[in-house]
């Protein structure tokens, strides 16, 4: 079968899985809205068939803005009103250093918890969360959007599992972001609150390594961070990279930064290359430079041919429906708890052991 036909069939199979909604009622609330990721998470839950009951933020303007966007949910003045209500799940994008403590409160009030990445900024927070999950039996989910909300990334998994590029032996990834410093809150520039660049946006890259390789363990071989061009923000970092290897011998190199130039039409040219023994897949997730401002591009090369495939609107995003079903049935189809926490742990390790590079222009 021609490679392009195989990709068409894989996309159709994936779309069939994604194109379903929940069958039983599911109610959620949003609390802590500090990062805009809350909008995509709320949208995903609503699209899957869930109902938004309450919205809370210590800044009423943020709560009102979310309610205005979705035209649903009641804005409440106290977090306790959400914690003591009859909802199934609470979703948050509160300041990263506060996500761990909020999650424990949520679980202790007999509710599931969904956080934006990064879910933790220290290992102590992560260990406390693990203990809370064991004690309560509730789910602590993390929305690693650079895989879970990208159709090209989802289809790439099917390509690997189908064996079209042989055995996976390396991942390389690039996660550049546009800074737009004047739109960022103060906490964004405080590593104690955001966790640092590898803990934050690097967590996406590490989660992909564990998922695509189906690995439960990995080691951070080395990592580096720097503040090359923003001395006004002190110890904040605008660049980071890391090399990891899984317990199955698959290696990864990734780099992340806050240097997306203004000439690019989107916020970042995120790419992942999956290297196999019989071929490779390149994902151009959000743009194809100078060709298309749309994303979801796959370039697939095997030992027989090379093809381009657009996954946009072809695959769907099943994560939120799967997560809701997992909460209702006690399954782990969206993401296992072990995987969720391991990705976070490795990101924290990469951050903690990172070498701080000399700034550009400084003498050694």
């Amino acid at each position: 079968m021609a490679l392009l036909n195989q990709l068409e069939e894989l996309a159709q199979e994936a779309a069939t899985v994604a194109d379903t909604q929940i069958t039983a009622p599911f109610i959620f609330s949003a609390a802590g809205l500090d990062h805009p990721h809350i909008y995509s998470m709320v949208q995903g839950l609503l699209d899957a068939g869930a109902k938004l009951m309450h919205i809370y933020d210590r800044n009423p303007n943020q709560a009102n803005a979310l309610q205005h966007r979705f035209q649903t949910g009641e804005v409440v003045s106290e977090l306790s009103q959400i914690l003591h209500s009859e909802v199934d799940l609470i979703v948050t994008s509160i300041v990263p250093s506060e996500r761990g403590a909020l999650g424990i409160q949520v679980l202790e009030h007999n509710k599931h918890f969904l956080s934006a990445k990064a879910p933790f900024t220290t290992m102590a927070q992560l260990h406390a969360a693990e203990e809370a999950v064991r004690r309560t039996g509730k789910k602590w989910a993390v929305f690693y959007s650079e895989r879970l909300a990208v159709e090209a990334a989802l289809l790439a998994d099917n390509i690997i599992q189908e064996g079209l590029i042989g055995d996976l032996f390396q991942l390389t990834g690039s996660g550049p972001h546009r800074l737009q410093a004047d739109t960022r809150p103060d906490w964004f520039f405080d590593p104690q609150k955001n966790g640092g660049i590898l803990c934050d946006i690097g967590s996406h890259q590490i989660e992909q390594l564990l998922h695509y390789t189906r690995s439960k363990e990995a080691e951070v071989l080395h990592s580096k961070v720097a503040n090359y061009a923003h001395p006004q923000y002190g110890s904040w970092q605008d660049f980071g990279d890391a090399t990891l290897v899984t317990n199955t011998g698959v290696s990864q190199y990734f780099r992340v930064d806050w240097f997306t130039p203004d000439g690019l039409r989107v916020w970042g040219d995120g790419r992942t290359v999956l290297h196999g023994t019989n071929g490779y897949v390149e994902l151009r997730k959000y743009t194809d430079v100078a060709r298309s401002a749309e994303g979801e591009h796959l370039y697939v090369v095997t030992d027989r041919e090379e093809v381009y495939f657009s996954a946009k609107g072809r695959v769907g995003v099943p994560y939120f429906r799967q997560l809701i079903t997992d909460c209702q049935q006690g399954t782990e189809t969206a993401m296992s708890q072990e995987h969720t926490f391991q990705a976070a742990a490795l990101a924290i390790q990469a951050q903690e052991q990172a070498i701080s590079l000399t700034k550009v222009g400084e003498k050694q």
Side-chain angles (χ1 to χ4, degrees):
M1 181 186 299
L3 180 57
L4 189 59
N5 290 338
Q6 290 180 288
L7 297 181
E8 292 279 1
E9 287 195 1
L10 290 175
Q12 290 175 11
E13 292 173 5
T16 300
V17 173
D19 190 25
T20 57
Q21 285 198 331
I22 59 174
T23 57
F26 190 85
I27 302 173
F28 74 101
S29 292
L33 319 176
D34 292 304
H35 194 285
H37 282 323
I38 192 67
Y39 285 88
S40 57
M41 292 191 291
V42 169
Q43 186 68 68
L45 289 165
L46 291 173
D47 289 346
K51 179 182 178 181
L52 176 60
M53 177 176 284
H54 292 138
I55 303 167
Y56 167 76
D57 191 82
R58 52 198 163 199
N59 180 348
N61 291 335
Q62 292 188 159
N64 290 329
L66 188 79
Q67 199 278 339
H68 179 75
R69 167 76 68 86
F70 296 107
Q71 294 294 301
T72 187
E74 176 190 357
V75 174
V76 296
S77 59
E78 298 291 339
L79 175 62
S80 60
Q81 293 173 265
I82 289 180
L83 293 176
H84 292 100
S85 65
E86 294 296 323
V87 301
D88 300 296
L89 176 142
I90 294 176
V91 59
T92 191
S93 66
I94 199 169
V95 174
S97 60
E98 301 176 32
R99 291 171 187 171
L102 176 60
I104 290 173
Q105 282 187 283
V106 169
L107 268 63
E108 288 178 342
H109 282 82
N110 200 36
K111 295 165 178 58
H112 302 290
F113 182 62
L114 172 60
S115 167
K117 65 79 207 157
F120 315 105
T121 56
T122 68
M123 291 300 294
Q125 294 170 9
L126 190 153
H127 293 325
E130 291 175 323
E131 195 280 326
V133 168
R134 286 192 294 268
R135 185 174 70 252
T136 65
K138 292 297 181 179
K139 291 190 180 297
W140 192 306
V142 178
F143 184 47
Y144 292 106
S145 58
E146 290 190 19
R147 180 179 66 83
L148 297 173
V150 176
E151 292 178 283
L154 297 172
L155 183 57
D157 191 39
N158 295 70
I159 292 170
I160 294 168
Q161 298 307 309
E162 192 70 13
L164 297 185
I165 62 170
D167 295 326
L168 196 62
F169 66 85
Q170 188 184 45
L171 280 73
T172 54
S174 178
H177 287 57
R178 178 170 286 127
L179 179 57
Q180 295 180 304
D182 58 343
T183 69
R184 303 290 182 175
D186 291 343
W187 64 261
F188 176 85
F189 296 102
D190 184 350
Q192 295 301 311
K193 294 183 178 180
N194 67 36
I197 193 168
L198 296 177
C199 178
D200 182 19
I201 54 180
S203 64
H204 286 298
Q205 305 290 329
I206 293 172
E207 190 278 330
Q208 290 172 88
L209 172 69
L210 295 177
H211 177 79
Y212 286 131
T213 62
R214 299 299 194 268
S215 298
K216 294 186 177 181
E217 299 177 16
E219 179 183 358
V220 180
L221 299 181
H222 62 79
S223 54
K224 306 185 290 292
V225 295
N227 181 346
Y228 281 130
H230 303 88
Q232 68 271 37
Y233 301 127
S235 59
W236 180 76
Q237 299 131 20
D238 54 26
F239 170 82
D241 71 2
T243 301
L244 294 86
V245 63
T246 69
N247 59 307
T248 55
V250 180
S251 66
Q252 178 190 46
Y253 170 78
F254 73 83
R255 58 175 307 285
V256 290
D257 68 59
W258 290 100
F259 286 113
T260 293
D262 289 342
L264 191 71
R265 291 173 287 180
V266 298
W267 58 265
D269 183 13
R271 301 191 187 192
T272 299
V273 183
L274 306 163
H275 303 269
T277 52
N278 294 329
Y280 64 90
V281 180
E282 180 182 349
L283 311 178
R284 301 184 187 181
K285 298 179 180 179
Y286 310 112
T287 188
D288 199 353
V289 174
R291 291 167 58 89
S292 172
E294 292 188 333
E296 307 291 4
H297 307 278
L298 294 98
Y299 292 87
V300 185
V301 182
T302 70
D303 54 6
R304 291 177 178 241
E305 55 186 312
E306 57 187 49
V307 301
Y308 163 79
F309 189 86
S310 173
K312 187 172 181 61
R314 306 288 303 281
V315 176
V317 176
Y319 172 75
F320 293 99
R321 191 263 305 161
Q322 291 173 331
L323 174 62
I324 292 170
T325 301
D326 288 344
C327 291
Q328 292 174 328
Q329 300 182 6
T331 51
E332 290 193 324
T333 59
M335 184 180 294
S336 74
Q337 192 66 76
E338 181 182 17
H339 177 98
T340 301
F341 284 162
Q342 179 68 342
L346 289 168
I348 294 171
Q349 291 171 21
Q351 186 70 51
E352 289 181 343
Q353 69 185 56
I355 298 168
S356 182
L357 299 175
T358 301
K359 296 178 185 177
V360 171
E362 284 188 354
K363 294 182 180 180
Q364 296 286 347

